[in-house]
Structure formats: structure tokens, C-alpha cells
Amino acid sequence: MSRVPGWLGRVGAGISMLGERLDERLDERRAEVEREEESELPDPVRPEPATEPAAEPVAEPEPASVESRQEHVPAPPAYAPAVAARPEPVAAVPWGLRVAAEAGWRLLVLAGALWVLIKVISSVQLVVFAFIAALLITALLQPTVARLRRHGVPRGLATALTAILGFVIMGLVGWFVVWQVQENIDALSDQVQDGIDELRKWLLNSPFHVTEDQINDIAKSLREAIGANTDEITSAGLEGVTVIVEAMTGILLTMFSTLFLLYDGRRIWDWTLKLVPAQARPGIAGAGPRAWRTLTAYVRGTVIVALIDAIFIGLGIFFLDVPMAVPLAVFIFLFAFIPLVGAVVSGALAVVVALVTQGVFTAVMTLAVVLAVQQIEGHILQPFILGRAVRVHPLAVVLAVAAGGMVSGIGGAVVAVPLVAVTNTVVVYLRAWSRGEALRQTPEPRGATAVDASPSGG
């Protein structure tokens, strides 16, 4: 009774093992059939091996059925054109356009910065022009301070003596001009009236065929224009008080700034250098003294040239009996600080005064004197006195004066040319300095000596 269950267990175990072997054979047969069917599939449906290696090993997926593989989108036929991959957008843009765009946005940034700078300067125009005037006066007076210091005069005393002497001379010149105008204004008005009458007679007898009615119409138009603009003239007269107050404020600021620039200019420059980035500081430190020498040479040369113009043109119109010859000479001296334009305006003023007071012949002779002196100035005096240090192309002078006048009036026209000269000096020096820095940072080839690496080659 006890042996029957053991026998039955062994039979059951054998049947179980036989079933497992049959299942394995069936699975192997089913796999062989699937592989045969896959080998018989058409080429478009046949899966292509992966061309790119996997980044990391993954589990191999189970083989998909035939129905799921046939649902995939077939590959394009062999006669279809090949589609190239789209390039990157940066590579598709032409090189010239990319360079223009790079330069364009940088120019826009510079233009925006320049516009903001002009707006800031316009809002504090009085302070800016006072400081620039102080720089120009300091450039004129600083050699005197240096000369006194070399003779043992203390710095404070040398600064005080030079500043007081300079401002006294400028004040005396201004007072002399006002005094001469006040002394000669009555006689000038009578001479102007006589000159207008003579000019009227000359026009009537001239070959231009000017009639009495035309002259009367011109005079009537002038009177009507003056009458129509009475309110504007009155308001301009009322605004003159504000102009006087601003002028006095500017004069005081200029005097104060000049004193400190003469006394402590070196320490002011050292403090300014601390505001410059450290990498650019050596170049700016070298460009600053050269810019100052250029400004000093320009101011001193302009003063000498203006003084020569005023003396010779003043002597010429004095011997031609033109009234107010001395005030006109002072005006010629002051207007000489505006290159090209100032000479034309002051010369035209002298010719007009000669025309309305002494007649056409005197006006023509005055014009000849003005042109002769200005030609000598332009071709002999300026190249000899100013030299190559502040030489600026005439086109640059004209454009700078025009731009300065449009931005800030007479003050801008006066400042424009020295600003261009100083900028030119700084740019030339910084370009040479950066080139020298690049050469110093370039490693020398092996075996090269200091003589071989020098520009002259020995």
C-alpha cells in the first residue's frame, strides 16, 4: 500500500519532464519559422541596422511580429532626389552681411552713447564751456608758471602772479574795446549815415541800373521787417539780463578752474588716471602729456597768429582812415580763434564798416589788405608757428567748425578744432602704443637675439 504512491509520483515526474521538453522544441521551431519569414520579407520593410552606436547598452527588445513591421512607413524609392540637411542659420548668412551687421550694431551703440553724451553736455553746457575755457587759458599760461618755478618762485606764488596778470590783461582788453566803441559810436553813426547816402548815389550812377524806386522799396522792406520784429527784439533785450548773469557765472567758474589747474594740474591728472581701467592706463598715461603739448602748441600758436593778423589789418584800416580801427583790430584778434570762419567774419565786418563810412574805394582797399594778411597767415604763419604737431586737414577744420557751431554755437566752433587736433594726437599715439605692445607680447623665435629682433635689423 505504501509503494503505490511512490511509483505514481515517479511516473508523474517523468510526464512533466517530457512536457517541458516538448514545449522547448515547439518554441525552437516557432523561432525558426519566424526567422525564415523575416528573411522572405521585401527590402523596404526589412529593418536596417543602426549606423550610430548607442551611448549606453540597453536591453534588446523582443522581436516584433510581421503585422507590426508592415505598418511602418516604407523608405522612399531609389529614384527620389536626395535632400541635403539644412545648414545652421549662421552659416547660411553671407560673410559680407555678417561683417556689416557686426559693424552696424557697434556703430549704433557708439551713436547712442554719443547722443547721450551730447544731451548731458547740453544740460550742463555752461559748466562744460567754463572748464574748456579754463583748459585753454591754462594751456596759455602754464609755460609762464613753469618758467617762474624754474627760477625758484614757489608754486603758489607763481600760480597767483600768472593768473592775476593774465586775467588783468584780458580784462583790460575787454574794457578797451567797450571804451573805444562808446567813444566813437556817435561819430560812427554820422559816418554811417553819410556812407549810406554815398552808397545810394553810387548805386544810382552804377552800371547795375538801380532805380530810386527800387532803393526806396528795399528801405521800406527793412523798416517793416524791423517793425514786425519789435516784440522779438524786446524779448531779446529782456533775455539779455539772463545772458549777462550766465556770462558772469561762466567767467567766475573759468577763473576758479584756471587757478586750480595751474596750481594742482598734475595731481588732478593722476586722479583722472585712476578712473581708467588698469589695462588701458599705461597707454592713456602716455597719451595725456602728448595731448597737453598739442593743446598748448595750438593755443600759443593761435594767439600769435591772431595777434599778427590784428596788428597788420588794424594798421591797414587805420591808414585808410576807417573809423574804430582799434576796436576792429581787437575783434579780428578774437575772431581769429574760430579757424577759417572767424577770419571771414572779421574781415567782412571791417569791409562793411569801410564801405558805409568811407565809400567803395576804401572798402575795396580794406578787402585787399584783409585778403593779403590772411593769405600770408594761411601759407606762412600757421605752418611755421603751429608746426606739424597740430596740423589738421582743411576739410577736417571746416567740418569740425560747422559741426561745433551747429551743436553749441560760437563756443562749439571755437572748441572744435583744438578738440580735433588733440583727438588726432591721442589716436595716433594709442595706435602706435598698441602696436608696440603687440610686438612686445609676441614670443621671439629660438636663437633670435635683441639685434635680430629690432626693427632696424642691426
Side-chain angles (χ1 to χ4, degrees):
M1 189 72 180
S2 58
R3 295 175 63 183
V4 174
W7 178 79
L8 289 176
R10 286 191 295 273
V11 171
I15 295 173
S16 298
M17 293 177 61
L18 182 61
E20 291 177 358
R21 291 179 180 177
L22 289 176
D23 290 339
E24 291 177 359
R25 295 297 302 273
L26 289 175
D27 291 339
E28 292 176 358
R29 182 60 182 168
R30 189 181 298 110
E32 291 177 0
V33 172
E34 289 179 357
R35 285 193 293 270
E36 291 176 359
E37 291 178 352
E38 289 178 2
S39 63
E40 293 176 358
L41 288 175
D43 291 341
V45 184
R46 182 182 300 173
E48 298 180 357
T51 57
E52 298 181 359
E56 57 185 10
V58 296
E60 184 177 358
E62 297 181 0
S65 62
V66 177
E67 292 79 9
S68 62
R69 292 179 180 276
Q70 291 178 351
E71 291 176 0
H72 291 173
V73 178
Y79 58 81
V83 179
R86 291 185 178 181
E88 292 293 330
V90 176
V93 179
W95 175 255
L97 185 59
R98 290 168 61 184
V99 173
E102 291 285 340
W105 73 260
R106 286 176 171 83
L107 289 176
L108 287 177
V109 171
L110 290 177
L114 183 61
W115 183 81
V116 172
L117 180 63
I118 292 175
K119 288 296 183 182
V120 172
I121 291 176
S122 300
S123 61
V124 290
Q125 186 173 1
L126 179 63
V127 178
V128 172
F129 277 119
F131 183 73
I132 293 176
L135 280 177
L136 297 177
I137 296 174
T138 303
L140 179 63
L141 300 179
Q142 194 271 337
T144 304
V145 176
R147 190 174 295 110
L148 291 176
R149 291 290 308 279
R150 285 194 297 269
H151 285 81
V153 181
R155 181 173 59 181
L157 181 60
T159 301
L161 290 176
T162 304
I164 291 173
L165 182 62
F167 287 123
V168 166
I169 291 175
M170 288 185 284
L172 288 176
V173 170
W175 169 81
F176 182 75
V177 172
V178 175
W179 174 64
Q180 285 291 314
V181 172
Q182 290 179 350
E183 288 292 326
N184 296 279
I185 190 66
D186 296 333
L188 181 63
S189 61
D190 296 336
Q191 290 179 348
V192 167
Q193 186 62 41
D194 296 338
I196 292 175
D197 294 337
E198 293 181 2
L199 180 61
R200 182 176 181 177
K201 294 177 181 178
W202 182 81
L203 288 175
L204 290 175
N205 298 324
S206 67
F208 298 108
H209 304 290
V210 180
T211 62
E212 184 78 21
D213 295 334
Q214 291 176 341
I215 296 176
N216 293 333
D217 291 339
I218 293 173
K220 182 179 178 181
S221 299
L222 291 175
R223 286 193 298 269
E224 290 177 354
I226 294 174
N229 296 320
T230 303
D231 296 336
E232 286 78 3
I233 295 174
T234 304
S235 62
L238 294 176
E239 291 177 357
V241 178
T242 305
V243 173
I244 292 175
V245 173
E246 291 182 354
M248 294 301 297
T249 304
I251 291 173
L252 292 176
L253 286 175
T254 302
M255 295 175 63
F256 191 76
S257 301
T258 303
L259 285 173
F260 275 96
L261 289 174
L262 286 173
Y263 180 76
D264 219 8
R266 183 65 184 180
R267 279 192 282 183
I268 294 174
W269 170 244
D270 293 338
W271 177 84
T272 306
L273 281 178
K274 296 179 181 179
L275 304 177
V276 180
Q279 294 181 350
R281 196 171 298 166
I284 300 299
R290 289 167 175 80
W292 182 252
R293 286 197 293 268
T294 299
L295 182 63
T296 302
Y298 175 82
V299 174
R300 294 172 63 184
T302 303
V303 169
I304 295 174
V305 171
L307 187 62
I308 293 174
D309 285 351
I311 290 175
F312 284 97
I313 295 178
L315 288 175
I317 60 179
F318 176 78
F319 287 115
L320 291 173
D321 291 332
V322 177
M324 292 200 310
V326 177
L328 286 175
V330 175
F331 278 115
I332 291 170
F333 172 80
L334 296 177
F335 276 93
F337 286 91
I338 307 177
L340 299 180
V341 179
V344 174
V345 173
S346 60
L349 179 62
V351 172
V352 169
V353 172
L355 178 64
V356 298
T357 56
Q358 300 295 330
V360 178
F361 177 76
T362 305
V364 172
M365 295 302 297
T366 302
L367 179 61
V369 171
V370 171
L371 292 177
V373 173
Q374 290 181 356
Q375 289 298 315
I376 295 174
E377 169 209 333
H379 293 87
I380 299 177
L381 296 179
Q382 285 191 354
F384 179 74
I385 296 175
L386 296 180
R388 300 182 61 89
V390 292
R391 182 173 296 179
V392 181
H393 196 276
L395 179 60
V397 172
V398 173
L399 295 179
V401 171
M406 292 174 64
V407 173
S408 300
I410 297 177
V414 173
V415 173
V417 176
L419 180 61
V420 171
V422 170
T423 303
N424 180 55
T425 301
V426 171
V427 169
V428 170
Y429 174 78
L430 290 180
R431 187 185 296 119
W433 178 80
S434 61
R435 190 181 300 114
E437 284 292 314
L439 291 176
R440 283 191 291 270
Q441 293 177 1
T442 301
E444 295 183 0
R446 292 183 178 180
T449 61
V451 176
D452 297 332
S454 63
S456 60

